[in-house]
Amino acid sequence: MHPLYAFTLPALLWMLVIWRAPSAFNGARPSRLLWGFLVTIAVTLTTRPPAVEHLVRISTGSPDLSVLIKHIAGLASNFCMLEYVITVHRRGPRTAAAARLRITTAVAAALALIVLFVFFFEHDPDGPASRVTDAHLGDWAVRLYEGIVYACLGTSSALSARLFWSHRRSVPQGVLRSGVVCLASGCALSFVYTVYRVFFLARQVSRPHEPGPGTVDTVSEILPVIILLLLVAGLVLPPMRRLACYLYDQRALWRLHPLWSELLRAVPTVAFGPRVGRTRDLFILGDRTLDVAHRAFEIRDASLVLRDRSSTDSPEEPADDPGAPPREADDGSTVRAEAAWLFTVLNEDDPDPRHSVAPPPSTARTPSEEIDWLLKVAAAYRRLSRGHHVTPPAPAPVDGHDPEPTRTG
């Protein structure tokens, strides 16, 4: 493995292990299985750098024990991944007998690897650890050892890929489905890697007297990196979706804050939430979806209070035709009119809404539409607050006389 990958990939996996540890200890069985998969994969990759191989050698006295640790951890990772996909998707063999068979097979395979490694391998105390297998690929013990490893890897990869792929349509479209597709692709590529390695090793012979680590193949070094990146992407994408939602909500709160704060000052009778500074609001962790909805509803309620105080002589809007399509709530002129009216009302010395006529209210039908509408109004209001002067709509004539001109913000 390239030195860059030899250190960056284990570091990435150990970061994921630490990140997922709380959910593993406090969560359900799928979380523990997923965490076990990450731990075992991290152990597998950690044993590959020469520095770690040397540390294992001087601490245990075995010149190549790191190879056995790598393959045992690989078997454990195959078992954890297969159990995870069966548990999460609740498909495939779920009977108690099938579960016992999977555990027995994994334990028997691990014991077989240990017996072959300890009693039948030729250990070279002077060469790199990988020579214990790479330089003796023609020996029957090494062929049986590698056959067990790739039989377990190929079987678990094929089953996991099939289960992930068959379950992808039951997952909502978007980031979650993309994560499942990445997991299915990684498992499928792992099966392809297994088939390739089987045919590659079948053509190799022992080279115990050649210097170096033994037989090295570029494809066999690149494919595991791609597989690992696909699996990591599949596991990270769903949490990244939550992070993206959190960042979107924080941005919405930041954009709504100036208008919300001004309305809090002008309409103290509306039941607003606790007053929080704009900067301090950024450091509140957790789900902010409800906070955005509450802030939008508070802005809407305060605007309705100001509308109730407005002149009753304002021209009425014609009623919408029941068969006509709903008016667009994000029309630019309507947004600007709403922002201009709010700016005039909130920035007069004597904020009396009766001095100006409120534009028609928004036609938002759902909370998400209401939030989108208010974000646009808040953006227009923020532009006005930066020094733009807007003349609000003039009120309707009273008794045939033109009204006095209103002040601008």
Short mmCIF file of all heavy atoms in Angstrom, two decimals, residues 12-35:
data_model
loop_
_atom_site.label_atom_id
_atom_site.label_comp_id
_atom_site.label_asym_id
_atom_site.label_seq_id
_atom_site.Cartn_x
_atom_site.Cartn_y
_atom_site.Cartn_z
N LEU A 12 -8.22 7.96 9.31
CA LEU A 12 -9.62 8.26 9.01
C LEU A 12 -10.55 7.28 9.71
O LEU A 12 -11.58 7.68 10.28
CB LEU A 12 -9.83 8.23 7.50
CG LEU A 12 -11.27 8.36 7.00
CD1 LEU A 12 -11.85 9.70 7.38
CD2 LEU A 12 -11.33 8.16 5.48
N LEU A 13 -10.21 6.01 9.67
CA LEU A 13 -11.08 5.00 10.29
C LEU A 13 -11.11 5.13 11.79
O LEU A 13 -12.16 4.97 12.42
CB LEU A 13 -10.61 3.61 9.87
CG LEU A 13 -11.00 3.21 8.44
CD1 LEU A 13 -10.29 1.94 8.04
CD2 LEU A 13 -12.50 3.02 8.34
N TRP A 14 -9.97 5.41 12.42
CA TRP A 14 -9.98 5.57 13.88
C TRP A 14 -10.77 6.80 14.30
O TRP A 14 -11.40 6.82 15.37
CB TRP A 14 -8.56 5.63 14.42
CG TRP A 14 -7.89 4.28 14.47
CD1 TRP A 14 -6.80 3.87 13.77
CD2 TRP A 14 -8.30 3.16 15.27
NE1 TRP A 14 -6.51 2.56 14.08
CE2 TRP A 14 -7.40 2.10 15.00
CE3 TRP A 14 -9.32 2.94 16.18
CZ2 TRP A 14 -7.51 0.85 15.61
CZ3 TRP A 14 -9.43 1.69 16.79
CH2 TRP A 14 -8.53 0.67 16.50
N MET A 15 -10.78 7.84 13.45
CA MET A 15 -11.65 8.99 13.72
C MET A 15 -13.11 8.58 13.67
O MET A 15 -13.91 9.00 14.53
CB MET A 15 -11.37 10.11 12.72
CG MET A 15 -10.03 10.79 12.89
SD MET A 15 -9.67 11.98 11.57
CE MET A 15 -11.08 13.07 11.74
N LEU A 16 -13.48 7.75 12.69
CA LEU A 16 -14.85 7.27 12.62
C LEU A 16 -15.18 6.38 13.81
O LEU A 16 -16.31 6.41 14.31
CB LEU A 16 -15.06 6.49 11.31
CG LEU A 16 -14.99 7.30 10.02
CD1 LEU A 16 -15.15 6.38 8.81
CD2 LEU A 16 -16.07 8.36 10.00
N VAL A 17 -14.21 5.58 14.25
CA VAL A 17 -14.44 4.72 15.42
C VAL A 17 -14.75 5.57 16.65
O VAL A 17 -15.70 5.29 17.41
CB VAL A 17 -13.21 3.83 15.66
CG1 VAL A 17 -13.28 3.16 17.04
CG2 VAL A 17 -13.11 2.76 14.58
N ILE A 18 -13.97 6.60 16.86
CA ILE A 18 -14.20 7.48 18.02
C ILE A 18 -15.53 8.21 17.89
O ILE A 18 -16.29 8.37 18.86
CB ILE A 18 -13.03 8.48 18.16
CG1 ILE A 18 -11.74 7.72 18.45
CG2 ILE A 18 -13.32 9.51 19.24
CD1 ILE A 18 -10.50 8.60 18.42
N TRP A 19 -15.84 8.65 16.67
CA TRP A 19 -17.09 9.38 16.43
C TRP A 19 -18.31 8.51 16.69
O TRP A 19 -19.32 8.97 17.23
CB TRP A 19 -17.08 9.90 15.00
CG TRP A 19 -18.36 10.51 14.55
CD1 TRP A 19 -19.09 11.48 15.17
CD2 TRP A 19 -19.09 10.17 13.36
NE1 TRP A 19 -20.21 11.77 14.44
CE2 TRP A 19 -20.24 10.98 13.33
CE3 TRP A 19 -18.87 9.28 12.32
CZ2 TRP A 19 -21.16 10.91 12.31
CZ3 TRP A 19 -19.80 9.21 11.29
CH2 TRP A 19 -20.92 10.02 11.29
N ARG A 20 -18.25 7.23 16.30
CA ARG A 20 -19.38 6.33 16.44
C ARG A 20 -19.43 5.62 17.79
O ARG A 20 -20.39 4.89 18.05
CB ARG A 20 -19.36 5.28 15.33
CG ARG A 20 -19.47 5.81 13.93
CD ARG A 20 -20.86 6.26 13.60
NE ARG A 20 -21.85 5.22 13.79
CZ ARG A 20 -23.13 5.34 13.50
NH1 ARG A 20 -23.57 6.48 13.00
NH2 ARG A 20 -23.99 4.37 13.70
N ALA A 21 -18.43 5.82 18.63
CA ALA A 21 -18.39 5.09 19.91
C ALA A 21 -19.60 5.38 20.80
O ALA A 21 -20.19 4.45 21.36
CB ALA A 21 -17.08 5.40 20.64
N PRO A 22 -20.03 6.64 20.99
CA PRO A 22 -21.20 6.87 21.85
C PRO A 22 -22.45 6.14 21.38
O PRO A 22 -23.19 5.56 22.18
CB PRO A 22 -21.38 8.39 21.81
CG PRO A 22 -20.04 8.92 21.46
CD PRO A 22 -19.44 7.91 20.54
N SER A 23 -22.72 6.17 20.07
CA SER A 23 -23.91 5.48 19.56
C SER A 23 -23.77 3.97 19.69
O SER A 23 -24.78 3.26 19.82
CB SER A 23 -24.14 5.85 18.09
OG SER A 23 -23.05 5.44 17.29
N ALA A 24 -22.53 3.46 19.67
CA ALA A 24 -22.34 2.01 19.82
C ALA A 24 -22.64 1.56 21.24
O ALA A 24 -23.29 0.53 21.47
CB ALA A 24 -20.91 1.63 19.43
N PHE A 25 -22.20 2.33 22.22
CA PHE A 25 -22.40 1.94 23.61
C PHE A 25 -23.82 2.25 24.11
O PHE A 25 -24.30 1.59 25.04
CB PHE A 25 -21.37 2.63 24.51
CG PHE A 25 -19.98 2.13 24.33
CD1 PHE A 25 -19.04 2.87 23.64
CD2 PHE A 25 -19.61 0.88 24.81
CE1 PHE A 25 -17.75 2.40 23.46
CE2 PHE A 25 -18.33 0.39 24.62
CZ PHE A 25 -17.39 1.16 23.95
N ASN A 26 -24.45 3.23 23.51
CA ASN A 26 -25.78 3.62 23.95
C ASN A 26 -26.89 3.23 22.99
O ASN A 26 -28.06 3.43 23.30
CB ASN A 26 -25.84 5.15 24.16
CG ASN A 26 -24.83 5.63 25.17
OD1 ASN A 26 -24.57 4.97 26.16
ND2 ASN A 26 -24.24 6.79 24.92
N GLY A 27 -26.53 2.69 21.83
CA GLY A 27 -27.52 2.40 20.81
C GLY A 27 -27.93 0.94 20.78
O GLY A 27 -27.64 0.15 21.69
N ALA A 28 -28.61 0.59 19.69
CA ALA A 28 -29.12 -0.77 19.53
C ALA A 28 -28.05 -1.66 18.88
O ALA A 28 -26.92 -1.25 18.63
CB ALA A 28 -30.39 -0.74 18.67
N ARG A 29 -28.45 -2.89 18.59
CA ARG A 29 -27.50 -3.86 18.04
C ARG A 29 -26.91 -3.42 16.70
O ARG A 29 -25.70 -3.61 16.49
CB ARG A 29 -28.19 -5.23 17.90
CG ARG A 29 -27.24 -6.35 17.48
CD ARG A 29 -27.91 -7.70 17.62
NE ARG A 29 -27.00 -8.78 17.31
CZ ARG A 29 -26.88 -9.35 16.11
NH1 ARG A 29 -27.67 -8.94 15.12
NH2 ARG A 29 -26.02 -10.33 15.89
N PRO A 30 -27.68 -2.86 15.77
CA PRO A 30 -27.05 -2.41 14.52
C PRO A 30 -25.93 -1.41 14.73
O PRO A 30 -24.91 -1.46 14.03
CB PRO A 30 -28.22 -1.80 13.74
CG PRO A 30 -29.43 -2.49 14.26
CD PRO A 30 -29.15 -2.71 15.72
N SER A 31 -26.08 -0.52 15.69
CA SER A 31 -25.01 0.45 15.95
C SER A 31 -23.76 -0.24 16.47
O SER A 31 -22.64 0.13 16.10
CB SER A 31 -25.50 1.50 16.96
OG SER A 31 -26.59 2.23 16.45
N ARG A 32 -23.94 -1.24 17.31
CA ARG A 32 -22.77 -1.97 17.82
C ARG A 32 -22.09 -2.76 16.72
O ARG A 32 -20.86 -2.84 16.67
CB ARG A 32 -23.19 -2.89 18.97
CG ARG A 32 -23.67 -2.14 20.21
CD ARG A 32 -23.81 -3.07 21.39
NE ARG A 32 -24.86 -4.07 21.18
CZ ARG A 32 -26.13 -3.89 21.52
NH1 ARG A 32 -26.52 -2.74 22.05
NH2 ARG A 32 -27.03 -4.84 21.31
N LEU A 33 -22.88 -3.36 15.83
CA LEU A 33 -22.29 -4.11 14.72
C LEU A 33 -21.54 -3.18 13.77
O LEU A 33 -20.44 -3.51 13.29
CB LEU A 33 -23.37 -4.87 13.96
CG LEU A 33 -23.99 -6.06 14.69
CD1 LEU A 33 -25.21 -6.58 13.93
CD2 LEU A 33 -22.97 -7.18 14.87
N LEU A 34 -22.11 -2.03 13.49
CA LEU A 34 -21.44 -1.08 12.62
C LEU A 34 -20.14 -0.59 13.25
O LEU A 34 -19.11 -0.47 12.57
CB LEU A 34 -22.37 0.10 12.35
CG LEU A 34 -21.81 1.22 11.46
CD1 LEU A 34 -21.40 0.67 10.10
CD2 LEU A 34 -22.83 2.33 11.31
N TRP A 35 -20.18 -0.33 14.55
CA TRP A 35 -18.97 0.09 15.24
C TRP A 35 -17.93 -1.03 15.24
O TRP A 35 -16.73 -0.77 15.08
CB TRP A 35 -19.31 0.50 16.67
CG TRP A 35 -18.17 1.17 17.39
CD1 TRP A 35 -17.67 2.42 17.14
CD2 TRP A 35 -17.41 0.64 18.47
NE1 TRP A 35 -16.64 2.70 18.01
CE2 TRP A 35 -16.47 1.62 18.83
CE3 TRP A 35 -17.45 -0.56 19.17
CZ2 TRP A 35 -15.56 1.43 19.87
CZ3 TRP A 35 -16.54 -0.76 20.20
CH2 TRP A 35 -15.61 0.23 20.55
#
